[in-house]
Structures are given as C-alpha cells and as structure tokens.
Short mmCIF file of all heavy atoms in Angstrom, two decimals:
data_model
loop_
_atom_site.label_atom_id
_atom_site.label_comp_id
_atom_site.label_asym_id
_atom_site.label_seq_id
_atom_site.Cartn_x
_atom_site.Cartn_y
_atom_site.Cartn_z
N TRP A 118 39.79 -23.78 38.16
CA TRP A 118 39.73 -25.24 38.25
C TRP A 118 39.28 -25.70 39.63
O TRP A 118 38.92 -26.88 39.80
CB TRP A 118 41.08 -25.84 37.91
CG TRP A 118 41.64 -25.42 36.58
CD1 TRP A 118 42.91 -25.02 36.31
CD2 TRP A 118 40.95 -25.37 35.32
NE1 TRP A 118 43.07 -24.72 34.99
CE2 TRP A 118 41.88 -24.92 34.34
CE3 TRP A 118 39.64 -25.65 34.92
CZ2 TRP A 118 41.52 -24.74 33.00
CZ3 TRP A 118 39.29 -25.47 33.59
CH2 TRP A 118 40.22 -25.03 32.65
N GLU A 119 39.30 -24.81 40.61
CA GLU A 119 38.76 -25.16 41.93
C GLU A 119 37.24 -25.15 41.91
O GLU A 119 36.59 -25.80 42.73
CB GLU A 119 39.29 -24.19 42.99
CG GLU A 119 40.80 -24.25 43.16
CD GLU A 119 41.32 -23.20 44.12
OE1 GLU A 119 40.49 -22.53 44.79
OE2 GLU A 119 42.55 -23.04 44.21
N VAL A 120 36.66 -24.41 40.98
CA VAL A 120 35.21 -24.40 40.80
C VAL A 120 34.77 -25.68 40.11
O VAL A 120 33.83 -26.37 40.55
CB VAL A 120 34.76 -23.17 39.98
CG1 VAL A 120 33.24 -23.19 39.75
CG2 VAL A 120 35.18 -21.89 40.67
N ALA A 121 35.45 -26.01 39.03
CA ALA A 121 35.17 -27.25 38.29
C ALA A 121 36.41 -27.62 37.50
O ALA A 121 37.02 -26.76 36.86
CB ALA A 121 33.98 -27.06 37.36
N GLY A 122 36.78 -28.89 37.53
CA GLY A 122 37.94 -29.34 36.80
C GLY A 122 37.65 -29.45 35.31
O GLY A 122 36.49 -29.49 34.89
N PRO A 123 38.71 -29.51 34.49
CA PRO A 123 38.51 -29.55 33.04
C PRO A 123 37.56 -30.63 32.53
O PRO A 123 36.74 -30.34 31.66
CB PRO A 123 39.94 -29.74 32.51
CG PRO A 123 40.79 -29.03 33.52
CD PRO A 123 40.15 -29.35 34.84
N PRO A 124 37.61 -31.88 33.03
CA PRO A 124 36.65 -32.87 32.51
C PRO A 124 35.20 -32.48 32.76
O PRO A 124 34.33 -32.67 31.90
CB PRO A 124 37.02 -34.16 33.26
CG PRO A 124 38.45 -33.97 33.64
CD PRO A 124 38.57 -32.52 33.97
N VAL A 125 34.93 -31.91 33.94
CA VAL A 125 33.58 -31.48 34.26
C VAL A 125 33.18 -30.31 33.37
O VAL A 125 32.05 -30.23 32.86
CB VAL A 125 33.47 -31.09 35.75
CG1 VAL A 125 32.10 -30.50 36.07
CG2 VAL A 125 33.74 -32.31 36.63
N VAL A 126 34.11 -29.39 33.16
CA VAL A 126 33.84 -28.23 32.29
C VAL A 126 33.55 -28.69 30.86
O VAL A 126 32.64 -28.19 30.21
CB VAL A 126 35.02 -27.25 32.32
CG1 VAL A 126 34.86 -26.16 31.28
CG2 VAL A 126 35.16 -26.62 33.71
N LEU A 127 34.30 -29.66 30.37
CA LEU A 127 34.09 -30.13 29.00
C LEU A 127 32.72 -30.80 28.84
O LEU A 127 32.05 -30.62 27.82
CB LEU A 127 35.21 -31.10 28.60
CG LEU A 127 36.57 -30.44 28.33
CD1 LEU A 127 37.64 -31.50 28.14
CD2 LEU A 127 36.50 -29.53 27.11
N ASP A 128 32.31 -31.57 29.84
CA ASP A 128 30.98 -32.16 29.78
C ASP A 128 29.90 -31.08 29.76
O ASP A 128 28.93 -31.16 28.99
CB ASP A 128 30.74 -33.08 30.99
CG ASP A 128 31.50 -34.40 30.87
OD1 ASP A 128 31.93 -34.75 29.76
OD2 ASP A 128 31.66 -35.08 31.91
N ALA A 129 30.09 -30.07 30.60
CA ALA A 129 29.12 -28.96 30.63
C ALA A 129 29.17 -28.17 29.33
O ALA A 129 28.14 -27.65 28.87
CB ALA A 129 29.40 -28.05 31.82
N ARG A 130 30.34 -28.07 28.73
CA ARG A 130 30.47 -27.35 27.46
C ARG A 130 29.64 -28.02 26.38
O ARG A 130 28.97 -27.35 25.58
CB ARG A 130 31.95 -27.28 27.05
CG ARG A 130 32.22 -26.35 25.88
CD ARG A 130 33.71 -26.12 25.66
NE ARG A 130 34.32 -27.13 24.81
CZ ARG A 130 35.50 -27.00 24.20
NH1 ARG A 130 36.22 -25.88 24.36
NH2 ARG A 130 36.00 -27.95 23.45
N THR A 131 29.66 -29.35 26.36
CA THR A 131 28.85 -30.07 25.38
C THR A 131 27.36 -29.82 25.61
O THR A 131 26.61 -29.59 24.66
CB THR A 131 29.16 -31.58 25.46
OG1 THR A 131 30.54 -31.79 25.16
CG2 THR A 131 28.31 -32.36 24.47
N ARG A 132 26.94 -29.87 26.87
CA ARG A 132 25.53 -29.59 27.16
C ARG A 132 25.17 -28.17 26.75
O ARG A 132 24.08 -27.91 26.22
CB ARG A 132 25.25 -29.77 28.66
CG ARG A 132 25.32 -31.20 29.16
CD ARG A 132 24.69 -31.32 30.54
NE ARG A 132 25.31 -30.46 31.54
CZ ARG A 132 26.38 -30.79 32.26
NH1 ARG A 132 26.96 -31.98 32.08
NH2 ARG A 132 26.88 -29.96 33.16
N ALA A 133 26.09 -27.24 27.00
CA ALA A 133 25.82 -25.83 26.69
C ALA A 133 25.70 -25.62 25.18
O ALA A 133 24.83 -24.88 24.72
CB ALA A 133 26.92 -24.95 27.27
N VAL A 134 26.58 -26.25 24.40
CA VAL A 134 26.49 -26.13 22.95
C VAL A 134 25.16 -26.70 22.47
O VAL A 134 24.47 -26.09 21.62
CB VAL A 134 27.65 -26.87 22.26
CG1 VAL A 134 27.44 -26.91 20.74
CG2 VAL A 134 28.98 -26.22 22.58
N ASP A 135 24.78 -27.85 22.99
CA ASP A 135 23.53 -28.47 22.59
C ASP A 135 22.35 -27.52 22.84
O ASP A 135 21.53 -27.28 21.95
CB ASP A 135 23.33 -29.77 23.37
CG ASP A 135 22.01 -30.44 23.06
OD1 ASP A 135 21.74 -30.72 21.89
OD2 ASP A 135 21.22 -30.66 24.01
N ARG A 136 22.27 -26.97 24.02
CA ARG A 136 21.16 -26.09 24.37
C ARG A 136 21.19 -24.80 23.55
O ARG A 136 20.15 -24.33 23.05
CB ARG A 136 21.20 -25.76 25.86
CG ARG A 136 20.92 -26.94 26.78
CD ARG A 136 20.95 -26.50 28.23
NE ARG A 136 19.95 -25.46 28.46
CZ ARG A 136 20.01 -24.59 29.47
NH1 ARG A 136 21.03 -24.62 30.33
NH2 ARG A 136 19.06 -23.67 29.61
N ALA A 137 22.39 -24.22 23.41
CA ALA A 137 22.50 -22.94 22.68
C ALA A 137 22.14 -23.11 21.22
O ALA A 137 21.41 -22.29 20.63
CB ALA A 137 23.91 -22.38 22.82
N TYR A 138 22.63 -24.16 20.58
CA TYR A 138 22.33 -24.38 19.17
C TYR A 138 20.86 -24.72 18.96
O TYR A 138 20.26 -24.31 17.95
CB TYR A 138 23.23 -25.47 18.61
CG TYR A 138 24.51 -24.96 17.97
CD1 TYR A 138 25.04 -23.72 18.30
CD2 TYR A 138 25.19 -25.73 17.03
CE1 TYR A 138 26.21 -23.27 17.72
CE2 TYR A 138 26.36 -25.29 16.44
CZ TYR A 138 26.88 -24.05 16.79
OH TYR A 138 28.04 -23.61 16.20
N ARG A 139 20.27 -25.47 19.86
CA ARG A 139 18.84 -25.79 19.72
C ARG A 139 18.00 -24.52 19.84
O ARG A 139 17.02 -24.34 19.11
CB ARG A 139 18.41 -26.84 20.74
CG ARG A 139 18.96 -28.22 20.44
CD ARG A 139 18.43 -29.30 21.36
NE ARG A 139 19.04 -30.58 21.04
CZ ARG A 139 18.66 -31.37 20.03
NH1 ARG A 139 17.64 -30.99 19.25
NH2 ARG A 139 19.27 -32.52 19.80
N ALA A 140 18.40 -23.64 20.76
CA ALA A 140 17.67 -22.38 20.89
C ALA A 140 17.87 -21.48 19.68
O ALA A 140 16.95 -20.78 19.24
CB ALA A 140 18.12 -21.66 22.16
N LEU A 141 19.05 -21.52 19.12
CA LEU A 141 19.41 -20.63 18.01
C LEU A 141 18.84 -21.11 16.67
O LEU A 141 18.35 -20.31 15.87
CB LEU A 141 20.93 -20.54 17.92
CG LEU A 141 21.56 -19.44 17.06
CD1 LEU A 141 21.14 -18.06 17.57
CD2 LEU A 141 23.08 -19.58 17.09
N PHE A 142 18.91 -22.42 16.43
CA PHE A 142 18.57 -22.95 15.11
C PHE A 142 17.23 -23.67 15.06
O PHE A 142 16.75 -24.00 13.97
CB PHE A 142 19.67 -23.89 14.63
CG PHE A 142 21.04 -23.27 14.56
CD1 PHE A 142 22.16 -23.96 14.97
CD2 PHE A 142 21.21 -21.98 14.08
CE1 PHE A 142 23.42 -23.40 14.90
CE2 PHE A 142 22.47 -21.39 14.01
CZ PHE A 142 23.58 -22.11 14.43
N GLY A 143 16.63 -23.95 16.20
CA GLY A 143 15.32 -24.60 16.22
C GLY A 143 15.34 -25.97 15.56
O GLY A 143 16.28 -26.76 15.73
N ASP A 144 14.33 -26.25 14.76
CA ASP A 144 14.18 -27.56 14.12
C ASP A 144 15.31 -27.86 13.14
O ASP A 144 15.56 -29.04 12.82
CB ASP A 144 12.84 -27.65 13.38
CG ASP A 144 11.65 -27.64 14.33
OD1 ASP A 144 11.86 -27.89 15.53
OD2 ASP A 144 10.52 -27.37 13.87
N ARG A 145 16.01 -26.83 12.67
CA ARG A 145 17.09 -27.06 11.71
C ARG A 145 18.26 -27.83 12.32
O ARG A 145 19.09 -28.37 11.60
CB ARG A 145 17.58 -25.73 11.15
CG ARG A 145 16.60 -25.09 10.16
CD ARG A 145 17.11 -23.76 9.64
NE ARG A 145 17.17 -22.75 10.68
CZ ARG A 145 17.63 -21.51 10.52
NH1 ARG A 145 18.08 -21.14 9.32
NH2 ARG A 145 17.64 -20.65 11.51
N VAL A 146 18.31 -27.88 13.66
CA VAL A 146 19.36 -28.66 14.33
C VAL A 146 19.33 -30.11 13.86
O VAL A 146 20.39 -30.75 13.73
CB VAL A 146 19.18 -28.57 15.87
CG1 VAL A 146 19.89 -29.72 16.56
CG2 VAL A 146 19.74 -27.25 16.38
N ASP A 147 18.17 -30.64 13.62
CA ASP A 147 18.03 -32.05 13.23
C ASP A 147 17.83 -32.22 11.72
O ASP A 147 17.47 -33.31 11.27
CB ASP A 147 16.86 -32.68 13.98
CG ASP A 147 17.05 -32.63 15.49
OD1 ASP A 147 18.15 -32.98 15.95
OD2 ASP A 147 16.12 -32.22 16.21
N GLY A 148 18.06 -31.18 10.95
CA GLY A 148 17.83 -31.23 9.52
C GLY A 148 19.00 -31.76 8.73
O GLY A 148 20.15 -31.80 9.21
N PRO A 149 18.77 -32.18 7.48
CA PRO A 149 19.83 -32.74 6.65
C PRO A 149 20.90 -31.73 6.26
O PRO A 149 22.06 -32.09 6.05
CB PRO A 149 19.08 -33.25 5.42
CG PRO A 149 17.81 -32.44 5.38
CD PRO A 149 17.45 -32.20 6.81
N GLU A 150 20.53 -30.44 6.17
CA GLU A 150 21.52 -29.43 5.79
C GLU A 150 22.59 -29.29 6.86
O GLU A 150 23.78 -29.20 6.56
CB GLU A 150 20.85 -28.08 5.54
CG GLU A 150 19.93 -28.06 4.33
CD GLU A 150 18.55 -28.61 4.62
OE1 GLU A 150 18.27 -28.93 5.81
OE2 GLU A 150 17.74 -28.71 3.68
N LEU A 151 22.17 -29.26 8.12
CA LEU A 151 23.17 -29.14 9.18
C LEU A 151 24.03 -30.38 9.25
O LEU A 151 25.25 -30.30 9.45
CB LEU A 151 22.50 -28.86 10.53
CG LEU A 151 23.48 -28.47 11.65
CD1 LEU A 151 22.85 -27.46 12.60
CD2 LEU A 151 23.96 -29.67 12.43
N ALA A 152 23.41 -31.55 9.08
CA ALA A 152 24.19 -32.79 9.12
C ALA A 152 25.25 -32.81 8.01
O ALA A 152 26.40 -33.22 8.23
CB ALA A 152 23.25 -33.99 8.98
N GLU A 153 24.87 -32.35 6.82
CA GLU A 153 25.84 -32.31 5.72
C GLU A 153 26.94 -31.30 6.00
O GLU A 153 28.13 -31.57 5.75
CB GLU A 153 25.12 -31.96 4.41
CG GLU A 153 26.03 -32.02 3.20
CD GLU A 153 25.32 -31.64 1.90
OE1 GLU A 153 24.09 -31.44 1.91
OE2 GLU A 153 26.02 -31.54 0.87
N ALA A 154 26.56 -30.14 6.52
CA ALA A 154 27.56 -29.12 6.87
C ALA A 154 28.52 -29.64 7.92
O ALA A 154 29.74 -29.42 7.85
CB ALA A 154 26.87 -27.85 7.35
N ALA A 155 27.99 -30.33 8.92
CA ALA A 155 28.83 -30.86 10.00
C ALA A 155 29.83 -31.87 9.46
O ALA A 155 31.01 -31.88 9.86
CB ALA A 155 27.95 -31.50 11.07
N ALA A 156 29.40 -32.72 8.55
CA ALA A 156 30.30 -33.73 7.99
C ALA A 156 31.43 -33.08 7.20
O ALA A 156 32.60 -33.49 7.30
CB ALA A 156 29.51 -34.70 7.11
#
C-alpha cells in the first residue's frame, strides 16, 4: 500500500482488465454475445 493505495490500485485494475480483455477477445469485446453474457 506504500506503492499505491487501494483506490489507486482499483482504478488501475479496471484499466488493466480493459486492456487485457481487448487484447484477448479483439472485436468480440464490443459484440452482442459478450454484452448478453455480462448481463
């Protein structure tokens, strides 16, 4: 937590998920199947 506090880590975690999933799933990230699965 001296490196980064939890709020900062959580913000970075969201950015990291976004980047990782976009790299992993490509165009399917914005597709209707993923949106339905997420819901």
Side-chain angles (χ1 to χ4, degrees):
W118 306 134
E119 297 175 9
V120 178
V125 174
V126 171
L127 287 172
D128 285 343
R130 190 170 87 163
T131 299
R132 291 195 302 273
V134 172
D135 177 56
R136 292 181 59 202
Y138 267 23
R139 289 186 182 279
L141 194 60
F142 302 139
D144 293 343
R145 287 179 294 177
V146 160
D147 300 313
E150 293 83 5
L151 191 145
E153 185 181 354

